[in-house]
Amino acid sequence: MNVMIVGSGGREHTLGWKIAQSPHLTNLYFAPGNGGTWEAGENINVKGTDFAGLREIVLDKKIDMVVVGPEEPLVMGIDDYFWEDPDLSHVAVIGPGREGARLEGSKEYANRFMEKYKIPTAGYKSFSEGQYDEALDYIAGMQPPYVIKADGLAAGKGVVICNNMGEAKETLQNFFGGIFGEAGKKVVVEEYLDGRELSAFVLTDGENYKMFPLARDYKKAGENDTGPNTGGIGCLSPVPYADESFTMEIEEQIIRPTLAGLKKEGVPFKGFLYFGLMKVGNKPYILEYNVRMGDPEAQVVIPRMNSDLLEGFVALSENRLHEYKLEIDDTSVAAAVILASKGYPGDYEKGKEISISVPLEDIVLFHAGTAYENGRLVTSGGRVMAVTSTAKTYKQALASIYDQIHKVDFDGKYFRSDIGYDI
Ligand code: AMP
Ligand code: GLY
């Protein structure tokens, strides 16, 4: 079959790398892909939010399945767009429709959903533009730190942890003032949960689900988890502080009630659902839903799969996910360290030439912000590449990564040298 992956990050390269290994695949396309994805398929220069452009490729290349990597096209309704077009309705889209995507597209919607279905989460209240004083009054009655979130999508930058009232005021002014446009004109103020973060993922067809391995994403740009939040700059799977009984707790307290809630609401959901979690004491709390696989979580979770991912997607699209055998190599662990452009998550320069010295031993490079310009591989984003390794122990995987990370070089390269420090 012919498959198109929508997106251009490390997650999409990883999904493509895995799908390219499937005997069921004929041709693989990326829209738009990056400097690494051409190794797995063909890049076509159309953005994931350009639905009409994607339509043309799908018809031209006789695509049977569209795998949607990032949230933006999902929240914009790519799934509904395909479903409603008689020329496209036969195409399997992996990812939820507009309604299901609200779990990620609106923090307020997600929080209300969690409350309604009694899914353990932080206490919260939402405020609209014009309710600045009410929001401040509410915050004044809380203990610091204060968690303030933009309601809509803000490219992973819409959550600010404020240590005092001054920071809270500034954040509210920024959000209501429009730094994230409409996405921040409504805010959610949340109780701070103090614990250890981890993420869980399921692939679901709305009836059944398959649980993927847990992952631990390092979000802060600086060593020892300091500095600004990024989209994720290092990752491990599995999670050492999540044992079997805690994992079962996640399924019982969070995953099953969420899927039951979606069913009760009559919201169809076919795709990955990602649960951003906090382990507080020995209890799981949910911080957020994402309606897609994580990035860089995909880079450590997918390489640990023994089974054919494309087979899973086919089963999902045919409503027989229960027949799919998801096999994970439980004897392996995986780690990823992101090479980023100096300045990320703030402003950074692009177009820096990337050199890679081969051979690479026991590591795989998943590209993100890379592109080919006049035959040269150059940087084109903040997160440039994930250096990943799968091994028997974290120590081994991290040694392979850090021993060879110098083999990839570009001007202004930075990375965290302490991924895995806490395990
Ligand atoms: P989110 O996009 O909701 O996952 O938030 C981004 C990051 O902010 C999370 O990965 C956490 O590190 C942090 N965060 C979000 N909500 C809370 C909370 N209620 N308590 C503590 N930290 C939080
Ligand atoms: N790594 C966090 C995310 O994918 O949202």
Side-chain angles (χ1 to χ4, degrees):
M1 63 192 300
N2 294 331
V3 177
M4 178 169 76
I5 297 180
V6 170
S8 62
R11 166 187 48 217
E12 287 74 36
H13 187 187
T14 312
L15 291 168
W17 168 86
K18 182 69 182 169
I19 288 173
Q21 296 169 32
S22 170
H24 304 291
L25 180 74
T26 313
N27 292 313
L28 181 60
Y29 301 93
F30 294 87
N34 60 40
T37 52
W38 64 267
E39 289 169 20
E42 186 185 328
N43 289 352
I44 299 182
N45 194 12
V46 170
K47 284 208 175 108
T49 48
D50 176 5
F51 295 172
L54 295 176
R55 178 183 195 278
E56 247 175 71
I57 309 174
V58 165
L59 296 177
D60 181 43
K61 304 286 186 189
K62 302 195 168 41
I63 307 270
D64 306 292
M65 177 183 286
V66 176
V67 179
V68 187
E71 61 277 17
E72 212 185 343
L74 293 166
V75 172
M76 282 171 63
I78 187 169
D79 192 61
D80 311 65
Y81 179 88
F82 272 67
W83 183 245
E84 286 159 9
D85 185 327
D87 294 334
L88 298 178
S89 58
H90 66 283
V91 178
V93 178
I94 307 301
R98 194 184 277 121
E99 243 191 311
R102 287 174 72 196
L103 282 180
E104 178 164 2
S106 166
K107 298 268 186 206
E108 190 196 16
Y109 174 83
N111 279 18
R112 257 201 259 132
F113 181 95
M114 294 165 194
E115 192 174 48
K116 183 165 175 190
Y117 293 101
K118 300 195 169 47
I119 300 163
T121 186
Y124 78 100
K125 204 165 160 107
S126 42
F127 300 92
S128 305
E129 200 184 2
Q131 290 185 298
Y132 175 78
D133 293 333
E134 285 94 323
L136 269 192
D137 280 349
Y138 181 73
I139 292 170
M142 298 170 80
Q143 293 293 327
Y146 315 109
V147 183
I148 302 182
K149 302 186 175 184
D151 178 60
L153 294 184
K157 293 172 191 158
V159 176
V160 182
I161 314 281
C162 307
N163 291 308
N164 51 54
M165 280 306 275
E167 286 175 25
K169 279 183 189 164
E170 191 187 324
T171 303
L172 285 177
Q173 281 162 8
N174 286 340
F175 281 17
F176 288 144
I179 55 164
F180 297 122
E182 285 309 307
K185 295 285 171 85
K186 201 189 263 179
V187 304
V188 170
V189 178
E190 246 177 52
E191 172 197 356
Y192 180 79
L193 293 175
D194 195 5
R196 303 187 85 177
E197 261 186 273
L198 68 157
S199 335
F201 317 91
V202 298
L203 186 65
T204 179
D205 59 9
E207 283 294 327
N208 298 282
Y209 70 93
K210 298 287 169 181
M211 189 167 172
F212 281 64
L214 301 170
R216 188 301 196 212
D217 181 14
Y218 292 78
K219 287 225 168 78
K220 301 281 187 185
E223 311 271 312
N224 289 311
D225 291 320
T226 55
N229 256 331
T230 68
I233 199 149
C235 212
L236 301 178
S237 175
V239 179
Y241 45 86
D243 58 13
E244 205 171 307
S245 85
F246 184 69
T247 307
M248 273 170 57
E249 188 88 349
I250 294 172
E251 276 195 85
E252 272 162 32
Q253 301 283 325
I254 294 177
I255 296 177
R256 292 210 198 108
T258 297
L259 298 178
L262 283 170
K263 226 175 130 175
K264 202 144 182 216
E265 298 283 312
V267 175
F269 199 105
K270 277 180 200 279
F272 281 111
L273 186 51
Y274 162 142
F275 304 82
L277 307 171
M278 190 74 91
K279 183 182 184 194
V280 183
N282 221 5
K283 258 187 74 79
Y285 286 81
I286 184 156
L287 296 179
E288 63 163 349
Y289 292 112
N290 293 320
V291 297
R292 51 173 174 82
M293 193 57 206
D295 188 339
E297 288 93 332
Q299 289 88 311
V300 293
V301 167
I302 304 290
R304 297 184 56 226
M305 288 178 72
N306 287 333
S307 13
D308 182 327
L309 179 61
L310 185 52
E311 249 170 46
F313 288 163
V314 171
L316 169 74
S317 66
E318 293 174 355
N319 294 319
R320 43 173 197 82
L321 189 62
H322 56 284
E323 289 174 14
Y324 176 61
K325 266 212 175 65
L326 173 61
E327 234 180 78
I328 302 299
D329 179 3
D330 283 325
T331 67
S332 75
V333 306
V337 177
I338 305 292
L339 299 177
S341 303
K342 193 175 95 195
Y344 172 79
D347 292 337
Y348 53 84
E349 288 180 31
K350 296 181 190 176
K352 305 289 180 195
E353 185 157 7
I354 303 169
S355 66
I356 301 174
S357 5
V358 286
L360 305 174
E361 282 151 43
D362 302 319
I363 58 169
V364 177
L365 304 177
F366 290 120
H367 291 223
T370 74
Y372 274 94
E373 254 172 33
N374 306 320
R376 293 156 56 235
L377 184 67
V378 298
T379 64
S380 64
R383 293 190 292 180
V384 174
M385 219 180 262
V387 183
T388 69
S389 182
T390 308
K392 291 294 164 211
T393 63
Y394 295 113
K395 207 170 157 184
Q396 232 179 316
L398 289 161
S400 295
I401 293 172
Y402 284 121
D403 284 351
Q404 296 179 82
I405 204 158
H406 63 277
K407 289 184 175 175
V408 182
D409 206 19
F410 54 90
D411 240 19
K413 170 179 90 170
Y414 93 85
F415 60 89
R416 269 182 67 171
S417 61
D418 68 340
I419 300 304
Y421 78 94
D422 54 338
I423 51 139

